[in-house]
Amino acid sequence: MIMAPHATGDEVPHGSSPQIGITAAKPETFTVNSPNVVYNDEHVLSKYTYRTTQVHTTGDGKIVATPAEVAYEFKTQRNVGKVGMMLVGWGGNNGTTVTAGILANRYNLTWETREGVRAANYYGSVVMASTVKLGTDVNTGREVNVPLHSLLPMAHPNDLVIGGWDISGLDLAAATERAKVLEPSLKSKLRKEMSTMKPLPSIYYPDFIAANQEDRADNILPGSKACMEHVEKIRQDIRDFKAQHGLDKVICQWTANTERYADIIPGVNDTVANLLASIGAGHPEVSPSTVFAVACVLENTPFINGSPQNTFVPGCIELARQHSAFLGGDDFKSGQTKMKSALVDFLINAGIKLTSIASYNHLGNNDGKNLSSHKQFRSKEISKSNVVDDMVAANGILYDHGKNEKPDHTVVIKYLPAVGDHKRALDEYHAEIFMGGHQTISMYNVCEDSLLASPLIIDLVVIAELVTRIQWRKVGEDDGKWKGFHSVLSILSYMLKAPLTPPGTPVVNALAKQRSAMVNILRACVGLEPESDMTLEHKLF
Ligand SMILES: NC(=O)c1ccc[n+]([C@@H]2O[C@H](COP(=O)([O-])OP(=O)(O)OC[C@H]3O[C@@H](n4cnc5c(N)ncnc54)[C@H](O)[C@@H]3O)[C@@H](O)[C@H]2O)c1
Ligand SMILES: O=P([O-])([O-])O[C@@H]1[C@@H](O)[C@H](O)[C@@H](O)[C@H](O)[C@@H]1O
């Protein structure tokens, strides 16, 4: 691996626009000793039996559970290659913060703050800063936990080559100043390199974001509505970026402003043919984010939507399926909603009848400014409100599903410039408990919006890139052909408020379930069973 020269925490090494490291196949943190797992130079190969329970209800209403299993084989390419991350909205608070964070980690920077010296880290990244239980030590009987990113060969964020687009032409150093997220002592160490980073001009269709964003729009391509020229320009930008940096692949993410929802109109965006025709005809209902998604699909570049709008109209999802391209979304799950998806899961699974959730937040960054416009707020209100649906639907004891009973739930977002990126989330959870009692949980949560979202941008890129290197097949299936994941990457759900899932499949919002699904899929790729936490070895002896 060619790693950048690591500074000692002082100035970034002068003139050190170092070659980004290439994460070649590295020795694993652990190896699996099993007849079902083979490591060769190219791949990790595993045989995995997927065990579930099939349930059916007999005519007389009896519920019958039948264990079922499917034998799979997984093949993961070990060499990561050189990976690029292209952000739409690169000059925004998230885009600048994640870029600065990766550079600071790449150079091992430290910086002075009022609380003392701080050092770069990847806290808040489930991939880089969380661990998973591998198993139990044969000698001590204690849990052995390993970094999540050691489960399979993954891109290291330090190695990511970063670029992107923005309708604002500020270079990344100036945009970082505008964002007001990071400490001056850190920004000063990165200013030289970030001032050389300039967002590519982007497409700007005013009707899709708040009018108050217009004063930023000084870096835009000609044309104020969809056209194939925009699709082809974005595709060319991706190709040029790959060629310029010698990349093996690029992952693209939307971290631009929240758009209003697009109407789903038969004949306009409901099929591939209609969507492409609508783009060609400049239909006003095709959003910039959908144009980016279409361009990425056609360029076989995974595209992830970090905002709540309905970028992935039916025609776009169909196009991705046709091209075996990958999509993920929607809306980074960073603070208030992340807490909600854990707390609601706990309350309902504890048999406590949650009866109302009041979620209020105010923030003063540009995201909040954009969301102060009703149509853009509505996109966010939807993604922040649906997060409890699966947990409520799973408990027919507390909630009368026949009457569509569920907790009252309100979401309020207010723009208060004074608090900047330091978003305040105030929540009240009210519940019925034993024998007519009540429990009220009130929470005040200062969620540093960009410092919480940036690690998610990293996780989404790293996991999406990993998925491009995993193939599967069912043992004994006639054609024996290796296949890829479904185009809609629901494995990314843990990082997203409104998880996009393959059409017709259930949406899981419960945070613990989302994390287990992702971790256990990665475990299966190295032939390991899901961690059941039964620890029978400590109970039955
Ligand atoms: N915690 C979080 O910060 C968080 C959590 C969930 C979702 N999000 C979403 O992530 C997005 C970015 O958040 P942010 O705080 O960085 O916002 P921001 O307003 O600071 O950044 C958005 C950037 O997108 C640019 N932009 C707008 N339209 C564009 C286009 N068509 N092409 C290219 N660039 C465009 C803007 O100029 C701006 O620089 C928002 O949609 C927000 O709702 C943020
Ligand atoms: O992720 P989360 O903290 O629930 O939700 C956040 C909202 O509360 C906030 O108003 C918005 O600016 C962010 O984009 C993010 O969506």
Side-chain angles (χ1 to χ4, degrees), residues 331-337 361 363 367 371 380 384 413 423 449 497:
D331 206 7
F332 306 127
K333 182 159 73 175
S334 56
Q336 184 175 53
T337 306
N361 72 82
L363 66 164
D367 181 23
L371 291 171
K380 189 68 75 169
K384 286 173 72 81
I413 298 175
K423 185 208 42 229
D449 247 5
K497 286 200 205 48

Side-chain angles (χ1 to χ4, degrees), residues 339-361:
M339 185 68 74
K340 186 177 293 178
S341 64
L343 187 56
V344 170
D345 191 26
F346 141 59
L347 289 169
I348 292 177
N349 282 327
I352 292 173
K353 184 171 183 174
L354 190 60
T355 52
S356 78
I357 306 168
S359 285
Y360 165 91
N361 72 82

